[in-house]
Amino acid sequence: MTARPSLAARLAALLPDLSPWRSSADFRLLWVQGIVTYFGSFMALIALPLQIKDLTGSPLAVGAMGAVELVPLIVCGLYGGALADAVDRRKIILASEAGLGLLAVVLLVNAALPDPMLWPLYVVAAGVSALAGLQRPALDSLMARIVPHDQLPAAAALNSLRWQAGAILGPSLAGLVVAYAGHPTAYSVTVVTFAASVLMCRRLAPAPPVEKGAKPSLRGIVEGARYAWSRPVLLGTYAIDMAAMFFAFPNAIFPFLADDLGADWSLGLMYAADSVGALLLGLTSGWTSRVRRHGLFVVCGAAVWGLAIAAAGWFGNVWLVLCCLALAGAGDMLSGLGRSTIWNQTIPEALRGRLAGIEVLSYSVGPQLGQVRAGTMASWTGTRAAIWSGGVACVASVALLAAALPRLVTYDSATDEDALRRRADRPEGPAAAPAA
């Protein structure tokens, strides 16, 4: 008779899988650099809409930030994907990180003026969106090169854990910093964190392109788009994430939700609540390394996100709202793990940058449009109605997309042809030469 594992062993199996941390020095470096960058980025992410709200008092003006960011994100995200397949990815990451630090300096200078101006806030928002679009494909496509194939689910969980740690500390402290020390102090922290991040990025190993001599081009971008369109599993990950974020991303109107609930003190907690839920899931994510049906993660996680956002808009008690937002974060974390794992397990190395550019659009354009939708709806129907109706629309759209793309639901990393092909490409792990 086989002995049942002890309670301690079962609990230990829930802890995050640290194998990517042990096997890859570049993964460790990027993980620490990400913590630092996220902390500073979230300080600015909260301070910027709060400053627009203070200057205008308009939910539409806050939501318009998403519209300003949209075009640079689309253009630079697609171009950044092609660039990541043609240029050393380390250089892209380093240059864009330095540019983001300079934009933080602009925010600091403007906030220090006796009468801060509104238009620089939108200009910086557009610039940040453009640089993020250039950087993210290089960062995302680098992961499958530095982490062994079998450790990609664990790497996705650890990266999400890093993100959520920054997302909790950043917004929570940003609300306090802005309230008691002002916007200049929040932006000063952002500048310092980006300076530290640049120093760490300099230590990354070079990551030259697979196809030497290739140049970023519209033809290359189209090639990547055709590949994505030909893969229903990939198409499903993009479509579900965009739909979920478009209908159920109300962060831009959280300042007005806090006003409606009579709890101004809760604003920082609202921004951090979804990250708390995601962090709790991340801290118990050891089981995800043993799951092969990652498409179910995408569908079920997005559905939980929508239901929880709908409940957050419906309830009038601030503590119930915060709990719902935490549940939404856990659902988003689960969906994100599925998306990241599927992308890294199935996409050819020569196309990773261009496909990562499309991925940037799928998980970034949705929130930008979602901010516009939420701000516009709130100006017509009120804040809470804009939130709960978006959550309901999210659940409906996820159900329709799952029915239309059944191969996403049935995805299995042990039998999927693309996943098996990528596994065969890199049997040696992170030191292996990337396959074309």
Side-chain angles (χ1 to χ4, degrees), residues 86-238:
V87 179
D88 189 321
R89 292 168 187 169
R90 172 185 174 274
K91 293 180 179 178
I92 299 173
I93 295 168
L94 183 59
S96 55
E97 200 75 358
L100 289 167
L102 290 176
L103 290 177
V105 173
V106 174
L107 288 176
L108 173 59
V109 171
N110 182 64
L113 295 174
D115 295 306
M117 296 177 286
L118 179 63
W119 66 265
L121 303 183
Y122 289 111
V123 171
V124 168
V128 168
S129 183
L131 288 173
L134 289 173
Q135 184 189 70
R136 286 309 295 263
L139 273 173
D140 292 347
S141 60
L142 187 61
M143 200 54 55
R145 182 180 291 196
I146 64 176
V147 174
H149 185 90
D150 290 341
Q151 295 177 11
L152 289 172
L158 290 174
N159 282 337
S160 295
L161 197 61
R162 173 195 63 183
W163 168 269
Q164 304 309 333
I168 291 171
L169 291 175
S172 300
L173 293 178
L176 296 174
V177 169
V178 172
Y180 294 103
H183 294 95
T185 302
Y187 296 140
S188 297
V189 173
T190 303
V191 171
V192 171
T193 57
F194 273 108
S197 176
V198 167
L199 293 176
M200 283 186 277
C201 286
R202 287 173 58 87
R203 297 175 55 195
L204 287 171
V210 173
E211 297 178 349
K212 298 186 189 277
K215 294 182 179 180
S217 65
L218 180 60
R219 181 178 179 180
I221 293 173
V222 171
E223 181 186 359
R226 284 177 178 167
Y227 180 87
W229 186 262
S230 70
R231 297 300 194 273
V233 174
L234 289 178
L235 198 59
T237 63
Y238 303 146

Side-chain angles (χ1 to χ4, degrees), residues 263-341:
D264 293 344
W265 54 267
S266 68
L267 179 58
L269 296 178
M270 287 183 184
Y271 281 112
D274 65 334
S275 297
V276 171
L279 181 65
L280 291 175
L281 183 65
L283 290 173
T284 56
S285 63
W287 62 275
T288 62
S289 296
R290 299 183 290 276
V291 175
R292 304 187 318 227
R293 299 285 299 278
H294 303 108
L296 287 176
F297 281 10
V298 177
V299 174
C300 296
V304 170
W305 165 268
L307 285 171
I309 292 295
W314 185 263
F315 289 127
N317 180 282
V318 65
W319 293 109
L320 286 177
V321 169
L322 292 173
C323 289
C324 289
L325 293 176
L327 178 60
D332 188 44
M333 169 78 164
L334 186 65
S335 184
L337 286 179
R339 294 194 307 272
S340 179
T341 300

